[in-house]
Amino acid sequence: MYQKAKPLHIKGSASLLYNNLSVLAMPEKNMASYGVVHKSTVCLANCSNDTMNVNHKQVACKEPSAALSQLTMILQAKFCSLPSRSLLVMCYQRGIQIFESDGSALVFWHALSNADPAAGFLFARGIAVIGDAYIAVGTSQGSILVFSIPARGTNIMLSETLTGHNYAISDMAGQGTKMASGDDSGCITIWEGGEKFKQITRINGSGTSCSSVCLYDDLVIAGYGTGHVRLFDSDKGHMMVEICAHAKWIHAIDVAPSTGLLLTSGEDTCVRVWSIQKAENGAKVSLEYSDSVTDVQLTGAKFMDTDGKAFGVTGYDLNEIVVFKQKV
């Protein structure tokens, strides 16, 4: 179904983080941007869809001093596409920074404050786009910060803080006005966005981290530290399908919304593509493709288009994105 294509080189190697690859597709320009976290910087690669003529850039967290910049560790970076603009959101220990999608300018900076020193290490992680004007970011305290994004300019406002998790947020996903947030205990909360966000349902965890989550139609798809992938009904929270997808921890999952293809990657060096078929009483999942990226600790995996015709994976200490394309 797929075969390895020419890899896409990046300026730095990928840090060992969940979901360490973000893709911003620009079909109107026949181009795409790729973002990978390397320590305190995000390595951007901007190129045409045939991965030729690559332009590289590194975007670093802005800090008051050079000493703090060297100590900064980015935990997640993600391109966020809104109808009016695209932004690059970076989560790190002390807060959240939002840049223009090409990294050219810092648009917004939100610092995290810890009222309780006993709460320990403070960080932001988990990013989702909701509706036409909201970006939500999770924190280590289990809260979710919802920011209102203007069509242009820097007047970004913190509109709401959501509480519903007792553990650090691990990943978040948005689809339309619906949002899913997972935490380090495996708990997933489904929200309905708007001027005032409301909780739809809660899926209890079993103590193992929900490392990656995505939404597809009326399904919530979650990957876990046990190697399982589970599909839930997004309205009632009922589990519909469970897959023993990988032998070790799952580091990233992604879905191609136009075709229902599901991409998973894990610590077992394997990357797999599954197909989701909607059934009358639920859903069915079948394995379509499996491959191993030998001797590489995989950290991120993303489809490069909405049809799932190509995908890329990143690995710890690897300074390239391994690309797979469908056979012609």
Side-chain angles (χ1 to χ4, degrees):
M1 186 176 182
Y2 292 89
Q3 61 186 4
K4 281 187 181 179
K6 181 183 176 182
L8 179 63
H9 290 276
I10 52 178
K11 273 205 165 182
S13 58
S15 295
L16 187 58
L17 303 167
Y18 308 150
N19 310 300
N20 193 3
L21 174 62
S22 186
V23 179
L24 176 64
M26 295 173 279
E28 69 282 357
K29 299 180 181 178
N30 195 32
M31 298 188 72
S33 291
Y34 304 88
V36 179
V37 175
H38 171 71
K39 296 182 179 179
S40 62
T41 62
V42 178
C43 302
L44 300 182
N46 190 29
C47 65
S48 56
N49 287 342
D50 58 6
T51 65
M52 302 292 287
N53 304 318
V54 184
N55 294 317
H56 295 282
K57 185 171 186 176
Q58 287 184 312
V59 184
C61 262
K62 304 292 185 184
E63 291 284 9
S65 68
L68 277 176
S69 295
Q70 293 177 353
L71 295 173
T72 298
M73 184 175 69
I74 299 173
L75 297 177
Q76 189 177 9
K78 188 174 185 178
F79 291 112
C80 294
S81 294
L82 298 160
S84 56
R85 66 198 300 189
S86 294
L87 298 167
L88 174 64
V89 181
M90 294 161 49
C91 297
Y92 67 112
Q93 302 115 302
R94 290 179 292 279
I96 301 143
Q97 293 188 1
I98 302 178
F99 289 78
E100 296 291 353
S101 60
D102 60 357
S104 59
L106 176 63
V107 178
F108 180 73
W109 185 347
H110 179 85
L112 296 178
S113 58
N114 194 351
D116 180 13
F121 189 56
L122 195 65
F123 59 85
R125 186 175 61 191
I127 305 162
V129 176
I130 308 95
D132 294 339
Y134 294 100
I135 291 177
V137 180
T139 71
S140 57
Q141 297 166 315
S143 59
I144 298 170
L145 310 177
V146 180
F147 298 96
S148 175
I149 311 296
R152 60 180 62 87
T154 61
N155 191 30
I156 296 174
M157 304 288 290
L158 176 63
S159 64
E160 193 174 354
T161 300
L162 307 177
T163 56
H165 291 273
N166 298 319
Y167 294 84
I169 302 297
S170 52
D171 193 31
M172 292 166 52
Q175 178 186 259
T177 60
K178 194 170 286 186
M179 178 179 76
S181 55
D183 66 27
D184 279 347
S185 73
C187 172
I188 300 172
T189 303
I190 316 301
W191 311 83
E192 182 67 34
E195 290 188 7
K196 190 74 175 176
F197 279 62
K198 61 179 181 180
Q199 182 176 320
I200 300 174
T201 188
R202 177 186 172 93
I203 302 165
N204 292 324
S206 58
T208 304
S209 177
C210 172
S211 52
S212 192
V213 64
C214 58
L215 293 169
Y216 172 62
D217 286 349
D218 55 354
L219 297 175
V220 179
I221 308 170
Y224 293 86
T226 56
H228 291 86
V229 171
R230 299 185 181 107
L231 281 67
F232 301 92
D233 177 87
S234 62
D235 293 322
K236 298 180 180 179
H238 297 156
M239 187 169 70
M240 304 170 76
V241 179
E242 182 178 48
I243 317 164
C244 296
H246 291 268
K248 293 186 178 181
W249 199 290
I250 290 178
H251 271 210
I253 64 173
D254 191 30
V255 69
S258 298
T259 55
L261 293 176
L262 173 66
L263 175 66
T264 65
S265 70
E267 278 188 2
D268 55 4
T269 76
C270 290
V271 56
R272 295 190 168 112
V273 178
W274 315 75
S275 65
I276 302 172
Q277 295 97 27
K278 301 298 289 294
E280 191 173 319
N281 297 321
K284 294 181 180 179
V285 179
S286 56
L287 179 64
E288 299 291 337
Y289 177 79
S290 180
D291 203 349
S292 175
V293 186
T294 311
D295 299 328
V296 175
Q297 171 73 289
L298 300 179
T299 59
K302 277 283 182 183
F303 282 117
M304 295 179 172
D305 52 49
T306 58
D307 296 327
K309 292 180 179 178
F311 65 86
V313 295
T314 54
Y316 174 59
D317 212 23
L318 188 69
N319 63 346
E320 65 182 22
I321 300 171
V322 183
V323 178
F324 294 80
K325 292 185 176 180
Q326 284 187 0
K327 296 177 182 177
V328 181

